Amino acid sequence: MDALLKALRGWCQRLGADRTYWLAYSGGLDSAVLLHLATQLPEFHFKVIHIHHGINPKADDWALHAEAKAKAAGFAFVCERLGLSQTKGESLEAEARERRYQALAKHLQTNEVIFTAHHQDDQAETLLLQLTRGAGLPGLAAMPAQKPFHAGVLVRPLLNANRADLLSVAAQAGLSWVEDDSNLCTNYTRNFLRHHILPTLKARWPSITKTLARSAEHCAETQALLSHLLSQPLKATQGTLPNTLSVSALNAHSPALQKAFIREWVMQAGHEMPSTKKLDTILTTVLTAAWDKSACVSFGEVSVRRHKDNLHLVLNNTPDLNFSREWVLGTPLVLPDQTQLKTEARQGVGFSSRFHTLTVKYRTGGEKIALPGRGRQSLKNLFQTWGVLPWERNGWPLLFDGEVLVGVVGWVYDENYLAKPGEPGLAVIWER
Protein backbone atom coordinates (compact mmCIF):
# COMPACT_ATOMS: atom_id res chain seq x y z
CA MET A 1 0.00 0.00 0.00
CA ASP A 2 2.90 2.34 0.71
CA ALA A 3 3.81 2.67 -2.99
CA LEU A 4 0.23 3.47 -4.07
CA LEU A 5 -0.30 5.90 -1.20
CA LYS A 6 2.99 7.60 -2.07
CA ALA A 7 1.85 7.91 -5.70
CA LEU A 8 -1.48 9.49 -4.75
CA ARG A 9 0.13 11.85 -2.24
CA GLY A 10 2.71 12.85 -4.85
CA TRP A 11 0.01 13.81 -7.34
CA CYS A 12 -1.85 15.87 -4.73
CA GLN A 13 1.32 17.64 -3.64
CA ARG A 14 2.32 18.50 -7.20
CA LEU A 15 -1.16 19.72 -8.10
CA GLY A 16 -1.58 21.70 -4.86
CA ALA A 17 -3.30 21.40 -1.50
CA ASP A 18 -5.71 24.24 -2.35
CA ARG A 19 -7.61 22.21 -4.96
CA THR A 20 -10.72 20.05 -4.72
CA TYR A 21 -10.08 16.44 -5.71
CA TRP A 22 -13.02 14.43 -7.05
CA LEU A 23 -12.84 10.63 -6.81
CA ALA A 24 -14.69 8.80 -9.60
CA TYR A 25 -16.13 5.95 -7.55
CA SER A 26 -17.96 3.05 -9.20
CA GLY A 27 -17.87 0.85 -6.12
CA GLY A 28 -15.63 -1.76 -7.81
CA LEU A 29 -12.23 -2.93 -6.62
CA ASP A 30 -10.19 -0.23 -8.35
CA SER A 31 -12.16 2.75 -7.09
CA ALA A 32 -12.53 1.15 -3.65
CA VAL A 33 -8.74 1.16 -3.34
CA LEU A 34 -8.56 4.75 -4.58
CA LEU A 35 -11.14 5.85 -2.01
CA HIS A 36 -9.30 4.01 0.78
CA LEU A 37 -6.01 5.69 -0.16
CA ALA A 38 -7.67 9.11 -0.12
CA THR A 39 -8.84 8.57 3.47
CA GLN A 40 -5.15 8.36 4.42
CA LEU A 41 -4.55 11.94 3.18
CA PRO A 42 -6.58 14.23 5.48
CA GLU A 43 -4.56 17.27 4.41
CA PHE A 44 -6.31 17.27 1.02
CA HIS A 45 -9.95 17.99 0.15
CA PHE A 46 -11.75 15.08 -1.53
CA LYS A 47 -15.26 14.62 -2.90
CA VAL A 48 -16.83 11.48 -4.35
CA ILE A 49 -18.89 11.19 -7.52
CA HIS A 50 -20.75 8.03 -8.54
CA ILE A 51 -22.17 7.55 -12.04
CA HIS A 52 -25.49 5.69 -12.06
CA HIS A 53 -25.78 4.25 -15.57
CA GLY A 54 -29.29 2.93 -14.98
CA ILE A 55 -28.75 -0.27 -16.98
CA ASN A 56 -27.95 -3.02 -14.49
CA PRO A 57 -30.81 -4.05 -12.13
CA LYS A 58 -28.36 -3.63 -9.25
CA ALA A 59 -27.53 -0.01 -10.15
CA ASP A 60 -29.64 1.45 -7.32
CA ASP A 61 -27.91 -0.81 -4.79
CA TRP A 62 -24.51 0.21 -6.12
CA ALA A 63 -25.44 3.88 -5.74
CA LEU A 64 -26.45 3.29 -2.11
CA HIS A 65 -23.22 1.40 -1.52
CA ALA A 66 -21.21 4.28 -2.99
CA GLU A 67 -23.01 6.85 -0.84
CA ALA A 68 -22.44 4.80 2.31
CA LYS A 69 -18.72 4.41 1.57
CA ALA A 70 -18.31 8.12 0.84
CA LYS A 71 -20.09 9.12 4.05
CA ALA A 72 -18.03 6.63 6.06
CA ALA A 73 -14.91 8.28 4.65
CA GLY A 74 -16.25 11.73 5.55
CA PHE A 75 -16.35 12.92 1.93
CA ALA A 76 -19.11 14.88 0.19
CA PHE A 77 -21.02 12.66 -2.26
CA VAL A 78 -22.73 13.23 -5.62
CA CYS A 79 -24.67 10.63 -7.61
CA GLU A 80 -25.16 11.46 -11.28
CA ARG A 81 -27.87 9.49 -13.11
CA LEU A 82 -27.35 9.05 -16.84
CA GLY A 83 -30.54 7.41 -18.12
CA LEU A 84 -28.79 5.63 -20.99
CA SER A 85 -30.67 4.31 -23.99
CA GLN A 86 -30.91 0.54 -24.19
CA THR A 87 -28.62 0.26 -27.21
CA LYS A 88 -26.91 -3.11 -27.56
CA GLY A 89 -23.26 -4.13 -27.68
CA GLU A 90 -20.29 -1.88 -28.35
CA SER A 91 -22.46 1.15 -29.11
CA LEU A 92 -23.85 1.01 -25.56
CA GLU A 93 -20.33 0.77 -24.17
CA ALA A 94 -19.25 3.79 -26.22
CA GLU A 95 -22.34 5.79 -25.24
CA ALA A 96 -21.80 4.94 -21.56
CA ARG A 97 -18.18 6.09 -21.71
CA GLU A 98 -19.04 9.35 -23.45
CA ARG A 99 -21.95 10.17 -21.14
CA ARG A 100 -19.88 9.22 -18.08
CA TYR A 101 -17.18 11.75 -18.93
CA GLN A 102 -19.83 14.38 -19.70
CA ALA A 103 -21.29 13.82 -16.24
CA LEU A 104 -17.88 14.11 -14.59
CA ALA A 105 -17.17 17.32 -16.50
CA LYS A 106 -20.45 18.87 -15.36
CA HIS A 107 -19.35 18.84 -11.71
CA LEU A 108 -15.75 19.89 -12.27
CA GLN A 109 -15.14 23.54 -11.48
CA THR A 110 -12.15 25.59 -12.65
CA ASN A 111 -8.82 24.07 -11.54
CA GLU A 112 -10.47 21.13 -9.81
CA VAL A 113 -9.13 17.60 -10.34
CA ILE A 114 -10.90 14.35 -11.11
CA PHE A 115 -9.07 11.16 -10.08
CA THR A 116 -10.00 7.89 -11.82
CA ALA A 117 -8.77 4.46 -10.72
CA HIS A 118 -7.46 3.18 -14.06
CA HIS A 119 -4.42 0.94 -13.63
CA GLN A 120 -1.77 -0.84 -15.69
CA ASP A 121 -4.03 -3.71 -16.77
CA ASP A 122 -6.58 -1.15 -18.04
CA GLN A 123 -3.79 0.53 -19.99
CA ALA A 124 -2.74 -2.77 -21.58
CA GLU A 125 -6.37 -3.54 -22.51
CA THR A 126 -6.75 -0.08 -24.04
CA LEU A 127 -3.63 -0.51 -26.17
CA LEU A 128 -4.82 -3.92 -27.42
CA LEU A 129 -8.29 -2.50 -28.05
CA GLN A 130 -6.82 0.31 -30.13
CA LEU A 131 -4.75 -2.19 -32.11
CA THR A 132 -7.92 -4.12 -33.01
CA ARG A 133 -9.29 -0.85 -34.40
CA GLY A 134 -6.21 -0.05 -36.48
CA ALA A 135 -5.53 3.10 -34.44
CA GLY A 136 -2.68 5.50 -35.13
CA LEU A 137 -0.32 7.13 -32.64
CA PRO A 138 -2.96 9.05 -30.64
CA GLY A 139 -4.92 5.84 -30.07
CA LEU A 140 -1.87 3.68 -29.34
CA ALA A 141 -0.75 6.24 -26.73
CA ALA A 142 -3.78 4.88 -24.82
CA MET A 143 -4.56 6.71 -21.56
CA PRO A 144 -2.36 9.58 -20.35
CA ALA A 145 -1.64 9.84 -16.64
CA GLN A 146 -2.74 13.49 -16.73
CA LYS A 147 -4.64 15.60 -19.22
CA PRO A 148 -6.64 18.84 -19.28
CA PHE A 149 -10.30 18.05 -18.75
CA HIS A 150 -12.90 20.77 -19.36
CA ALA A 151 -12.47 23.33 -16.55
CA GLY A 152 -9.94 21.24 -14.63
CA VAL A 153 -7.61 18.26 -14.87
CA LEU A 154 -8.15 14.49 -15.16
CA VAL A 155 -5.52 12.33 -13.44
CA ARG A 156 -5.02 8.57 -13.27
CA PRO A 157 -2.77 8.22 -10.20
CA LEU A 158 -2.75 4.39 -10.16
CA LEU A 159 -1.69 3.91 -13.77
CA ASN A 160 1.70 2.40 -12.80
CA ALA A 161 0.10 -0.22 -10.54
CA ASN A 162 -1.42 -3.48 -11.77
CA ARG A 163 -4.57 -5.26 -10.66
CA ALA A 164 -2.58 -7.61 -8.40
CA ASP A 165 -1.21 -4.57 -6.53
CA LEU A 166 -4.74 -3.30 -5.97
CA LEU A 167 -5.98 -6.70 -4.79
CA SER A 168 -3.12 -6.80 -2.28
CA VAL A 169 -4.04 -3.38 -0.86
CA ALA A 170 -7.73 -4.35 -0.70
CA ALA A 171 -6.89 -7.54 1.19
CA GLN A 172 -4.62 -5.73 3.68
CA ALA A 173 -7.28 -3.09 4.37
CA GLY A 174 -10.20 -5.52 4.45
CA LEU A 175 -12.06 -3.59 1.77
CA SER A 176 -15.39 -4.62 0.29
CA TRP A 177 -16.54 -3.76 -3.21
CA VAL A 178 -19.25 -4.53 -5.76
CA GLU A 179 -18.85 -6.74 -8.82
CA ASP A 180 -20.45 -5.66 -12.09
CA ASP A 181 -21.56 -8.87 -13.81
CA SER A 182 -21.52 -7.10 -17.19
CA ASN A 183 -17.71 -7.19 -16.94
CA LEU A 184 -17.97 -10.95 -17.54
CA CYS A 185 -19.78 -10.54 -20.86
CA THR A 186 -17.21 -11.23 -23.57
CA ASN A 187 -19.47 -9.84 -26.28
CA TYR A 188 -17.74 -6.57 -25.43
CA THR A 189 -14.30 -6.38 -27.04
CA ARG A 190 -12.61 -5.05 -23.90
CA ASN A 191 -13.99 -7.91 -21.81
CA PHE A 192 -12.93 -10.44 -24.46
CA LEU A 193 -9.40 -9.06 -24.28
CA ARG A 194 -9.48 -9.07 -20.47
CA HIS A 195 -10.72 -12.64 -20.03
CA HIS A 196 -9.28 -14.45 -23.06
CA ILE A 197 -6.33 -12.59 -24.56
CA LEU A 198 -4.46 -11.00 -21.63
CA PRO A 199 -4.43 -14.17 -19.48
CA THR A 200 -2.87 -16.06 -22.40
CA LEU A 201 -0.27 -13.34 -22.88
CA LYS A 202 0.47 -13.25 -19.14
CA ALA A 203 0.98 -17.03 -19.10
CA ARG A 204 3.76 -16.59 -21.69
CA TRP A 205 5.05 -13.20 -20.50
CA PRO A 206 4.12 -12.53 -16.83
CA SER A 207 5.07 -8.85 -17.05
CA ILE A 208 3.20 -8.22 -20.31
CA THR A 209 0.94 -5.50 -18.87
CA LYS A 210 4.00 -3.51 -17.85
CA THR A 211 5.54 -4.07 -21.29
CA LEU A 212 2.39 -2.99 -23.12
CA ALA A 213 2.07 0.06 -20.88
CA ARG A 214 5.67 0.97 -21.81
CA SER A 215 4.78 0.71 -25.50
CA ALA A 216 1.84 3.05 -24.92
CA GLU A 217 4.19 5.47 -23.18
CA HIS A 218 6.59 5.37 -26.16
CA CYS A 219 3.67 6.14 -28.50
CA ALA A 220 2.60 9.01 -26.26
CA GLU A 221 6.11 10.48 -26.29
CA THR A 222 6.29 10.20 -30.08
CA GLN A 223 2.86 11.80 -30.44
CA ALA A 224 3.94 14.66 -28.16
CA LEU A 225 7.05 15.18 -30.31
CA LEU A 226 4.96 15.12 -33.49
CA SER A 227 2.54 17.67 -32.01
CA HIS A 228 5.47 19.94 -31.16
CA LEU A 229 6.90 19.67 -34.68
CA LEU A 230 3.49 20.37 -36.22
CA SER A 231 2.70 23.40 -34.04
CA GLN A 232 4.30 26.06 -36.24
CA PRO A 233 3.27 24.60 -39.63
CA LEU A 234 -0.27 24.21 -38.28
CA LYS A 235 -0.39 27.92 -37.42
CA ALA A 236 0.49 28.68 -41.03
CA THR A 237 -2.66 26.83 -42.15
CA GLN A 238 -5.06 28.80 -39.91
CA GLY A 239 -8.18 30.15 -41.55
CA THR A 240 -9.62 33.65 -41.39
CA LEU A 241 -11.76 32.85 -38.32
CA PRO A 242 -10.58 31.59 -34.90
CA ASN A 243 -10.09 27.81 -34.60
CA THR A 244 -10.45 27.21 -38.34
CA LEU A 245 -8.07 25.90 -40.99
CA SER A 246 -7.58 27.34 -44.45
CA VAL A 247 -8.62 24.95 -47.21
CA SER A 248 -6.28 26.55 -49.75
CA ALA A 249 -3.36 26.34 -47.30
CA LEU A 250 -4.09 22.67 -46.61
CA ASN A 251 -4.33 21.92 -50.32
CA ALA A 252 -0.77 23.19 -50.76
CA HIS A 253 0.48 20.14 -48.81
CA SER A 254 0.68 16.42 -49.46
CA PRO A 255 -2.20 14.16 -48.33
CA ALA A 256 -0.04 12.81 -45.49
CA LEU A 257 0.55 16.30 -44.10
CA GLN A 258 -3.09 17.25 -44.63
CA LYS A 259 -4.11 14.29 -42.47
CA ALA A 260 -1.50 15.17 -39.84
CA PHE A 261 -2.71 18.77 -39.64
CA ILE A 262 -6.37 17.75 -39.36
CA ARG A 263 -5.61 15.14 -36.67
CA GLU A 264 -3.62 17.66 -34.65
CA TRP A 265 -6.34 20.29 -35.04
CA VAL A 266 -9.01 17.85 -33.83
CA MET A 267 -6.82 16.62 -30.97
CA GLN A 268 -6.08 20.17 -29.77
CA ALA A 269 -9.83 20.78 -29.64
CA GLY A 270 -10.16 17.72 -27.36
CA HIS A 271 -12.32 15.58 -29.63
CA GLU A 272 -12.23 11.95 -30.72
CA MET A 273 -9.96 11.27 -33.70
CA PRO A 274 -11.62 10.66 -37.08
CA SER A 275 -11.09 7.19 -38.55
CA THR A 276 -8.86 6.69 -41.58
CA LYS A 277 -11.98 6.37 -43.74
CA LYS A 278 -13.38 9.65 -42.37
CA LEU A 279 -10.05 11.41 -42.92
CA ASP A 280 -9.91 10.19 -46.50
CA THR A 281 -13.47 11.46 -47.03
CA ILE A 282 -12.51 14.89 -45.65
CA LEU A 283 -9.62 15.06 -48.11
CA THR A 284 -11.55 13.83 -51.14
CA THR A 285 -14.89 15.62 -50.60
CA VAL A 286 -14.45 18.57 -48.25
CA LEU A 287 -11.07 19.93 -49.34
CA THR A 288 -11.97 19.53 -53.01
CA ALA A 289 -15.50 20.96 -52.82
CA ALA A 290 -16.37 24.17 -54.64
CA TRP A 291 -15.78 27.24 -52.47
CA ASP A 292 -19.52 28.02 -52.25
CA LYS A 293 -20.50 24.49 -51.14
CA SER A 294 -20.96 23.69 -47.41
CA ALA A 295 -19.36 20.25 -47.47
CA CYS A 296 -19.51 18.27 -44.20
CA VAL A 297 -18.12 15.04 -42.67
CA SER A 298 -19.31 13.89 -39.22
CA PHE A 299 -17.51 11.66 -36.69
CA GLY A 300 -18.08 11.20 -32.98
CA GLU A 301 -19.65 14.31 -31.47
CA VAL A 302 -18.37 16.72 -34.12
CA SER A 303 -18.41 17.52 -37.82
CA VAL A 304 -15.79 19.03 -40.08
CA ARG A 305 -17.61 21.64 -42.15
CA ARG A 306 -16.39 23.86 -44.95
CA HIS A 307 -17.60 27.40 -45.55
CA LYS A 308 -15.80 29.21 -48.33
CA ASP A 309 -12.06 28.80 -47.58
CA ASN A 310 -12.45 27.96 -43.90
CA LEU A 311 -12.62 24.50 -42.35
CA HIS A 312 -14.68 24.46 -39.13
CA LEU A 313 -14.92 21.87 -36.33
CA VAL A 314 -18.51 21.98 -35.11
CA LEU A 315 -20.37 20.15 -32.34
CA ASN A 316 -23.27 18.09 -33.65
CA ASN A 317 -26.07 19.98 -31.94
CA THR A 318 -29.44 19.84 -33.70
CA PRO A 319 -31.71 22.64 -32.43
CA ASP A 320 -35.29 21.85 -31.50
CA LEU A 321 -37.22 23.80 -34.14
CA ASN A 322 -40.35 23.56 -31.98
CA PHE A 323 -38.64 25.35 -29.09
CA SER A 324 -40.70 28.25 -27.74
CA ARG A 325 -40.26 29.89 -24.36
CA GLU A 326 -41.81 32.94 -22.75
CA TRP A 327 -39.10 35.26 -21.50
CA VAL A 328 -39.56 37.94 -18.87
CA LEU A 329 -37.01 40.58 -19.83
CA GLY A 330 -34.62 41.36 -17.02
CA THR A 331 -34.34 37.72 -15.93
CA PRO A 332 -31.85 35.19 -17.35
CA LEU A 333 -33.13 32.52 -19.74
CA VAL A 334 -31.28 29.22 -20.31
CA LEU A 335 -31.62 27.91 -23.88
CA PRO A 336 -31.73 24.20 -24.86
CA ASP A 337 -28.01 24.23 -25.76
CA GLN A 338 -27.23 25.51 -22.22
CA THR A 339 -26.23 28.96 -23.46
CA GLN A 340 -28.01 31.86 -21.79
CA LEU A 341 -29.82 35.06 -22.66
CA LYS A 342 -29.49 38.02 -20.28
CA THR A 343 -30.33 41.71 -20.42
CA GLU A 344 -28.35 44.75 -19.41
CA ALA A 345 -29.93 48.12 -18.66
CA ARG A 346 -28.70 50.86 -21.02
CA GLN A 347 -30.08 54.28 -21.87
CA GLY A 348 -31.51 54.45 -25.37
CA VAL A 349 -30.13 51.04 -26.36
CA GLY A 350 -31.92 47.75 -27.03
CA PHE A 351 -35.55 47.06 -26.27
CA SER A 352 -37.68 49.81 -24.81
CA SER A 353 -38.44 49.22 -21.14
CA ARG A 354 -42.13 49.43 -22.13
CA PHE A 355 -41.92 45.77 -23.18
CA HIS A 356 -41.74 43.19 -20.41
CA THR A 357 -42.31 39.74 -21.97
CA LEU A 358 -41.26 38.26 -25.31
CA THR A 359 -41.14 34.75 -26.76
CA VAL A 360 -37.85 33.10 -27.72
CA LYS A 361 -37.95 30.72 -30.69
CA TYR A 362 -35.64 29.28 -33.32
CA ARG A 363 -35.81 29.88 -37.05
CA THR A 364 -38.28 27.86 -39.11
CA GLY A 365 -37.94 29.78 -42.38
CA GLY A 366 -39.50 32.79 -44.07
CA GLU A 367 -39.05 35.21 -41.14
CA LYS A 368 -38.86 38.96 -41.77
CA ILE A 369 -38.13 41.88 -39.48
CA ALA A 370 -38.82 45.64 -39.75
CA LEU A 371 -35.55 47.61 -39.61
CA PRO A 372 -35.22 51.37 -39.05
CA GLY A 373 -35.32 53.12 -42.42
CA ARG A 374 -35.16 49.86 -44.38
CA GLY A 375 -38.62 48.35 -44.07
CA ARG A 376 -39.17 44.61 -43.70
CA GLN A 377 -36.10 42.51 -44.42
CA SER A 378 -35.75 38.76 -44.97
CA LEU A 379 -33.90 37.04 -42.11
CA LYS A 380 -32.28 34.68 -44.61
CA ASN A 381 -30.74 37.62 -46.49
CA LEU A 382 -29.71 39.33 -43.26
CA PHE A 383 -27.89 36.20 -42.02
CA GLN A 384 -25.99 36.06 -45.31
CA THR A 385 -25.10 39.75 -45.04
CA TRP A 386 -23.92 39.40 -41.45
CA GLY A 387 -21.83 36.31 -42.29
CA VAL A 388 -23.66 34.01 -39.87
CA LEU A 389 -22.44 30.50 -40.69
CA PRO A 390 -25.12 28.32 -42.36
CA TRP A 391 -25.19 25.65 -39.61
CA GLU A 392 -25.55 28.30 -36.88
CA ARG A 393 -28.64 29.94 -38.34
CA ASN A 394 -31.28 27.42 -37.21
CA GLY A 395 -30.03 27.61 -33.62
CA TRP A 396 -29.90 31.41 -33.45
CA PRO A 397 -32.32 32.78 -30.80
CA LEU A 398 -35.06 34.98 -32.23
CA LEU A 399 -37.36 37.23 -30.21
CA PHE A 400 -41.07 37.40 -30.99
CA ASP A 401 -44.01 39.47 -29.80
CA GLY A 402 -46.81 37.05 -30.55
CA GLU A 403 -46.11 35.96 -34.13
CA VAL A 404 -44.09 39.07 -35.04
CA LEU A 405 -40.29 38.78 -35.18
CA VAL A 406 -39.03 41.78 -33.22
CA GLY A 407 -35.39 40.94 -32.52
CA VAL A 408 -32.43 38.86 -33.72
CA VAL A 409 -30.17 38.44 -30.71
CA GLY A 410 -26.81 40.12 -31.19
CA TRP A 411 -27.81 41.94 -34.37
CA VAL A 412 -31.02 43.97 -34.75
CA TYR A 413 -34.37 44.87 -33.17
CA ASP A 414 -37.67 45.85 -34.77
CA GLU A 415 -37.80 49.65 -35.15
CA ASN A 416 -41.09 49.76 -33.24
CA TYR A 417 -39.54 48.12 -30.18
CA LEU A 418 -36.31 50.10 -29.93
CA ALA A 419 -35.62 52.28 -26.90
CA LYS A 420 -35.71 55.96 -27.82
CA PRO A 421 -32.76 58.28 -27.04
CA GLY A 422 -32.75 58.96 -23.30
CA GLU A 423 -35.33 56.24 -22.63
CA PRO A 424 -34.38 53.26 -20.41
CA GLY A 425 -33.53 50.28 -22.60
CA LEU A 426 -32.59 46.62 -22.22
CA ALA A 427 -29.74 45.30 -24.36
CA VAL A 428 -29.97 41.53 -24.93
CA ILE A 429 -26.75 39.58 -24.33
CA TRP A 430 -26.23 36.00 -25.51
CA GLU A 431 -23.69 34.24 -23.27
CA ARG A 432 -22.22 31.25 -25.10
Side-chain angles (χ1 to χ4, degrees), residues 347-349 418-424:
Q347 288 293 109
V349 175
L418 286 171
K420 295 180 173 55
E423 178 186 13

Side-chain angles (χ1 to χ4, degrees), residues 30 93 118-133 139-140 142-143 159 162-163 183 188-199 201-202 208-213 216:
D30 310 342
E93 188 178 22
H118 294 104
H119 50 78
Q120 202 172 79
D121 292 61
D122 295 322
Q123 185 76 310
E125 291 168 10
T126 300
L127 176 59
L128 291 174
L129 185 63
Q130 295 292 359
L131 283 169
T132 68
R133 295 170 175 171
L140 298 181
M143 298 181 292
L159 207 52
N162 57 39
R163 181 175 171 79
N183 289 331
Y188 298 115
T189 304
R190 182 179 287 275
N191 288 345
F192 178 80
L193 293 170
R194 178 179 300 166
H195 297 296
H196 293 296
I197 303 303
L198 267 177
L201 293 175
K202 286 181 179 179
I208 189 64
T209 57
K210 185 176 182 179
T211 303
L212 291 174

Side-chain angles (χ1 to χ4, degrees), residues 237-259:
T237 66
Q238 287 182 344
T240 57
L241 295 174
N243 305 316
T244 64
L245 298 181
S246 165
V247 173
S248 58
L250 284 171
N251 282 334
H253 295 284
S254 67
L257 269 177
Q258 289 174 349
K259 292 180 181 180

Side-chain angles (χ1 to χ4, degrees), residues 27 60 222-223 240-242 253 325 332 334 338 402:
D60 288 337
T222 304
Q223 178 58 51
T240 57
L241 295 174
H253 295 284
R325 186 74 53 82
V334 178
Q338 300 305 305

